[in-house]
Amino acid sequence: MTLLHPRRFSTVAILCNLLLAACSQPQAPNTGRENPTKGKKVGVLLVSHGSHSETWRKTLFELEKRVRQRILENGGVAGTKTAFMEYHEPSIATRLKAFDEEGYSDIILVPILLTVSSHSFDDIPTIVGLKDNPESVEMLRLEKIERYSPAATVHIAPLLDFGDILRKNVLRRTKALSETPADEGLVLIGYGSEPYENEWARLFGDAAETVREQTGIGKHSIGWCGHIVRYSPDSTTAAVNRVLEKKKTAIVIPSLIAFDENFQIRIIGGGIEKVDGHEERVRYKPDAILPDPDVERWVVDISKEFAKNILNQ
Amino acid sequence: MTKKNRDALRRLNNLLHRDLGYFFAALIIAYSLSGIALNHVDEWNPDFIIRKTTLDFKRTYDRRTITEEDIAALSSKAGERSFRLYDFPSERQVKIYYRDATLLVDLEKGAGEYEKISRRPLFYQVNVLHRNSVEWWKWASDLFAATLIIITLTGMFMLRGRNGFSGRGKWLVTAGLIPPLIAVFLQQTR
């Protein structure tokens, strides 16, 4: 008995496998037109901040559940997943590996993030291998956030500030709390981002302007609750006090994607509690942007648009 | 318990305290340094030295017409001979990436902020351990914590008489409990 040379044996084995695959693979029906998908398999990955809060994570999973069926309609997208940037699984790397294992060729990464920040602009692209921001690389390593460059091509969708989602959302929530617009001022509290504070302020300013136009609430201020203020309630307190200098009542709208006890209760709620007479002069509901039909519509529309472009390439 | 047994236990106690103390001395100092550093995370970056330089390019740019030659010129002003990538976080900004630095340029103002990052010597390394950033170090850290308990308990019984635990020791241990109890009490009343 003569043993085949290893390389020759491997070659023979490969050829046999290819032949078997060709024989067993059913012929696709001839529809008279070129297959528009060109063998592509597209997935959608919703990415948001992670959180130790179960409520936060549940909200983001619920978002995926609510949009999945609509995204999968028409067959352009084959599957959807949700991932968290930090603190909790499933991580971005975990989900990207899953997409690779399932044979996806393209992944549409939809950030469920309000506007530009270090996370959206640097950290996420660095995690998926599209950038090598030095600070992100170091911080991700230190925080044990895994980077993974998938075999599939990653396409990053625009942020939520691309549309008018926040304006509509803030308007709806403000109207729910408003009683006498002429006596009220609006306080918008967001996470914030140090290098992009102007962008955040502009986004919130636009939302406040919409509220002014639609309700007559003419005074507003902005406060931060994230790392930019070292998670201090004082920024909220100061923002509320600025409004109360001119108006009888302040309406506080937490402009955060989802509910997290640490933010809506401890930081923002704690900041409000430091305001003199807050029981009578501040109206605050510790809610969040989600659930929001406009966010859902945005996620569906942007996913389908990206999928269409990918399949037509 | 007989005197012989008590003496044997005391020798074992002293032996454990001495040898474990020697063995973990470096780690105790490392964790203490890291603890001090991490306690002041709001005042400084305990892990990295980030050098920031503000640059004035004395002209403005338009995002729609900016070229790679412009990017190279901006980089040159920051002392960088080449760049890896550039991207636009907003209509008025461009961010340029280098090996260990970035340059965020405000195109409308013609100004930029150059940031160069490097690891803070010693503190970065001890902080990595303190945060259990090395995968398996969690278990080593647990062992270290347990050993600290042993070192502390054995230390209480090193001496006898008026300077031992039954004398001076009991009062100092009691006094040492006061600050954390006050802190816990104050935290509960907030």
Side-chain angles (χ1 to χ4, degrees), chain A:
Chain A
M1 178 179 177
T2 303
L3 293 177
L4 292 172
H5 187 278
R7 186 162 67 181
R8 186 176 301 159
F9 176 79
S10 297
T11 303
V12 171
I14 291 170
L15 290 173
C16 288
N17 287 334
L18 289 173
L19 182 60
L20 287 172
C23 291
S24 61
Q25 190 165 8
Q27 292 291 325
N30 187 348
T31 60
R33 58 184 173 88
E34 187 180 8
N35 187 341
T37 65
K38 299 177 182 176
K40 294 194 173 184
K41 186 177 181 183
V42 180
V44 169
L45 179 63
L46 309 186
V47 172
S48 63
H49 280 291
S51 172
H52 298 298
S53 165
E54 184 179 354
T55 307
W56 172 283
R57 300 194 303 274
K58 184 177 179 182
T59 300
L60 275 301
F61 283 125
E62 182 64 26
L63 172 64
E64 184 199 343
K65 183 179 177 183
R66 292 164 77 104
V67 301
R68 180 185 299 128
Q69 191 57 45
R70 284 178 279 171
I71 292 176
L72 298 181
E73 285 170 1
N74 304 325
V77 175
T80 65
K81 300 183 193 297
T82 289
F84 300 109
M85 237 204 71
E86 71 274 73
Y87 302 136
H88 219 275
E89 285 287 343
S91 68
I92 294 173
T94 296
R95 290 309 205 197
L96 293 178
K97 291 176 184 176
F99 276 122
D100 271 352
E101 289 167 359
E102 295 168 24
Y104 283 79
S105 64
D106 295 83
I107 301 163
I108 304 165
L109 192 154
V110 182
I112 310 301
L113 300 173
L114 209 51
T115 187
V116 64
S117 67
S118 300
H119 288 314
S120 64
F121 190 69
D122 285 317
D123 294 347
I124 290 176
T126 301
I127 289 172
V128 304
L130 294 179
K131 281 184 181 177
D132 280 319
N133 180 48
E135 187 170 356
S136 295
V137 171
E138 291 286 0
M139 294 309 300
L140 295 174
R141 181 182 294 121
L142 205 59
E143 295 175 11
K144 294 193 285 188
I145 297 174
E146 185 181 359
R147 300 178 68 194
Y148 181 75
S149 299
T153 303
V154 177
H155 312 262
I156 299 182
L159 304 165
L160 296 178
D161 63 354
F162 198 70
D164 59 354
I165 289 170
L166 186 65
R167 290 199 292 269
K168 290 182 176 179
N169 183 274
V170 168
L171 177 62
R172 170 172 59 80
R173 293 157 67 199
T174 301
K175 283 183 172 179
L177 294 176
S178 176
E179 295 177 3
T180 52
D183 296 330
E184 295 163 348
L186 177 65
V187 180
L188 297 178
I189 306 294
Y191 190 88
S193 176
E194 205 150 358
Y196 309 110
E197 187 172 2
N198 287 346
E199 280 63 38
W200 280 77
R202 187 176 300 124
L203 177 69
F204 282 22
D206 289 345
E209 178 61 19
T210 297
V211 170
R212 186 193 68 77
E213 292 168 355
Q214 299 295 324
T215 68
I217 297 175
K219 172 68 179 178
H220 83 273
S221 67
I222 296 168
W224 310 123
C225 61
H227 187 263
I228 188 174
V229 294
R230 305 300 185 264
Y231 307 99
S232 170
D234 293 345
S235 182
T236 296
T237 305
V240 173
N241 282 330
R242 286 196 293 274
V243 160
L244 293 181
E245 288 172 357
K246 304 286 187 181
K247 295 292 181 177
K248 189 180 300 182
T249 307
I251 296 175
V252 181
I253 303 293
S255 304
L256 304 171
I257 291 296
F259 176 85
D260 181 322
E261 294 83 351
N262 188 45
F263 288 99
Q264 275 91 336
I265 302 298
R266 188 180 75 80
I267 299 175
I268 300 175
I272 291 170
E273 288 176 359
K274 294 184 178 183
V275 175
D276 290 338
H278 65 88
E279 298 90 345
E280 295 82 28
R281 300 193 66 195
V282 179
R283 286 196 210 105
Y284 173 62
K285 182 178 180 183
D287 57 2
I289 291 171
L290 292 177
D292 185 295
D294 291 311
V295 172
E296 295 171 24
R297 193 173 302 115
W298 159 260
V299 171
V300 172
D301 291 349
I302 201 66
S303 298
K304 287 185 172 180
E305 181 181 338
F306 266 66
K308 181 180 177 182
N309 291 336
I310 292 166
L311 296 174
N312 286 337
Q313 286 173 356

